Amino acid sequence: MSPLATHALLRSPSPALTECQLLHLPRGRLDFATALRQHQAYAAALAEAGVAVTTLPAEAHLPDAVFVEDTAVLLDEVAILCRPGTPSRVAEVTLIRPAVAFLRTVGAIQAPGTLEGGDVLRVGRTLFVGRSTRTNPEGIRQLRALVAPHRYEVTEVAVRGALHLKTGITAPAPGLMVANPAWIDLAAFRPFEVVPVPADEPWGANVLPLNDLVLVAAAAPRTAALLRDRGLEVRLVDISELQKAEAGLTCLSLVYRERTGPSHTTAL
Ligand code: GLY
């Protein structure tokens, strides 16, 4: 049984989103009002999945701050503050720190290491970490050292042609992965059943499992059908305007589980 997600941290998009970083997409016209509406609908989808959503205020001068997942890796025992691999995003980490430090003891990636949360996929006690243009070998080495005392193993995965590891692979259910094999070296995922996304839905692999639901981007209906065929309860969420900023469903939230006791929350 998967652990119960109880809470999520989001950050409202700012109008500066139109100046976001873009790695693999050309800059097109992004309608901010639509992006904001879609972000609100995304928050509602998380709430439907049983998660209490806290939306932090927009950061006017940080175009990519809406992508909160990249700023921290929230584990049950510890939070690792990331060090983004693109200079325009580094200030986001300072801004998320108070919210994360309220939830967990905090460690941090230091220069010259870089690591973004979109490159970290947790499956049980294993952290699959993408070596991407944003996450470098030194960042992965530091992450491994920071989580080893908490009994996590780190497995490095080569990412090519995608922004982050989770752009190209996620884990919708225990034992099951959905992936774009063109972007991700799947060698490390041999123990899993891997569902390849249809060729015309290259971004479909970024799905967000939350309690009994799996959120899938509305732009990936055939990927959604493949997951439904495996018995999963799927909700389509339209983030098409946010996807113009290279958004995925996972990168828009930091999800965790509240628990009772001295350290009062647990990451998923
Ligand atoms: N626009 C998302 C990123 O490049 O980090």
Side-chain angles (χ1 to χ4, degrees), residues 21 64 67 89 134 163 245:
Q21 290 291 320
D64 291 287
F67 306 124
R89 301 203 57 187
R134 299 289 181 80
L163 177 57

Side-chain angles (χ1 to χ4, degrees), residues 123-144:
V123 180
R125 308 302 299 182
T126 301
L127 304 182
F128 293 97
V129 183
R131 191 179 65 252
S132 69
T133 55
R134 299 289 181 80
T135 293
N136 67 15
E138 172 60 14
I140 298 172
R141 188 197 67 75
Q142 290 183 28
L143 179 69
R144 183 176 281 118

Side-chain angles (χ1 to χ4, degrees), residues 73-120:
V73 179
L74 262 176
L75 301 171
D76 288 359
E77 304 82 0
V78 67
I80 309 303
L81 289 169
C82 296
R83 186 167 177 274
T86 190
S88 72
R89 301 203 57 187
V90 170
E92 295 173 29
V93 177
T94 308
L95 292 167
I96 203 76
R97 185 183 183 111
V100 167
F102 180 75
L103 303 174
R104 298 286 186 279
T105 303
V106 162
I109 303 298
Q110 311 287 344
T114 65
L115 181 95
E116 296 189 2
D119 278 317
V120 181

Side-chain angles (χ1 to χ4, degrees), residues 8-32:
L9 279 177
L10 279 61
R11 187 180 292 287
S12 195
S14 102
L17 184 62
T18 54
E19 294 147 41
C20 69
Q21 290 291 320
L22 288 174
L23 200 58
H24 296 290
L25 288 179
R27 195 170 299 279
R29 188 182 165 277
L30 190 157
D31 183 74
F32 177 68

